């Protein structure tokens, strides 16, 4: 694919995932990459957190962290309203916590500035 990228932790450059695992469009209010899989360097604890504000208000989720540096890099949604139901059980990586390495151009770019082709769960 033309627009392949590797997702790195902003804190320590550990590889967290790649664009081949993207499986959905980011919902309004959340700046995330939605992925089927991530590397084993993405860890989470068994304790659920509850969103108290913003797009995750009232949602229960597991916080994802980088195993190498401990930076919070995303979440796995456990329960939510119907508007975010399609994200449950998927890896949502915060764009603010990620740096992308674009394979074709061999460029490093902020995740918030990258636009990948639209992908749906059906694809």
């Amino acid at each position: 694919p033309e627009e392949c990228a590797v997702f790195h932790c902003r804190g320590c450059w550990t590889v967290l995932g790649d664009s081949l695992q993207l499986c959905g469009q980011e919902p309004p209010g959340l700046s995330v990459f939605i992925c089927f899989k991530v590397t084993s360097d993405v860890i989470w604890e068994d304790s659920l957190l509850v969103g108290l504000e913003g797009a995750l208000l009232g949602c229960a989720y597991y916080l994802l962290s980088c195993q190498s540096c401990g930076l919070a890099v995303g979440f796995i949604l456990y329960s939510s309203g119907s508007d975010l139901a399609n994200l449950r059980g998927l890896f949502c990586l915060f764009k603010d916590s990620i740096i992308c390495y674009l394979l074709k151009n061999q460029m490093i770019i902020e995740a918030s500035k990258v636009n990948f082709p639209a992908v749906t769960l059906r694809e």
Side-chain angles (χ1 to χ4, degrees):
E2 285 286 308
E3 299 163 12
C4 287
V6 177
F7 304 147
H8 293 269
C9 172
R10 177 180 292 282
C12 67
W13 288 88
T14 296
V15 174
L16 305 175
D18 61 58
S19 61
L20 295 176
Q21 302 306 317
L22 291 174
C23 62
Q25 296 304 113
E26 68 185 272
L30 286 174
S31 183
V32 294
F33 289 132
I34 303 162
C35 301
F36 275 123
K37 292 193 288 187
V38 292
T39 69
S40 60
D41 289 308
V42 177
I43 58 171
W44 63 93
E45 294 185 21
D46 289 336
S47 56
L48 282 169
L49 300 175
V50 176
L52 300 177
E53 60 186 18
L56 294 179
L57 177 66
C59 297
Y61 60 92
Y62 297 102
L63 188 65
L64 300 174
S65 301
C66 172
Q67 182 171 308
S68 298
C69 71
L71 180 70
V73 296
F75 63 91
I76 299 174
L77 199 58
Y78 180 76
S79 68
S80 69
S82 59
D83 57 333
L84 297 177
N86 62 325
L87 299 183
R88 292 182 198 149
L90 298 172
F91 297 93
C92 299
L93 300 177
F94 299 134
K95 288 184 177 181
D96 288 348
S97 299
I98 300 210
I99 299 289
C100 292
Y101 176 73
L102 303 177
L103 298 176
K104 182 179 179 186
N105 328 33
Q106 299 176 351
M107 289 177 49
I108 297 167
I109 190 167
E110 296 284 330
S112 59
K113 296 182 178 170
V114 179
N115 291 315
F116 293 104
V119 179
T120 65
L121 287 173
R122 292 180 187 181
E123 294 173 10

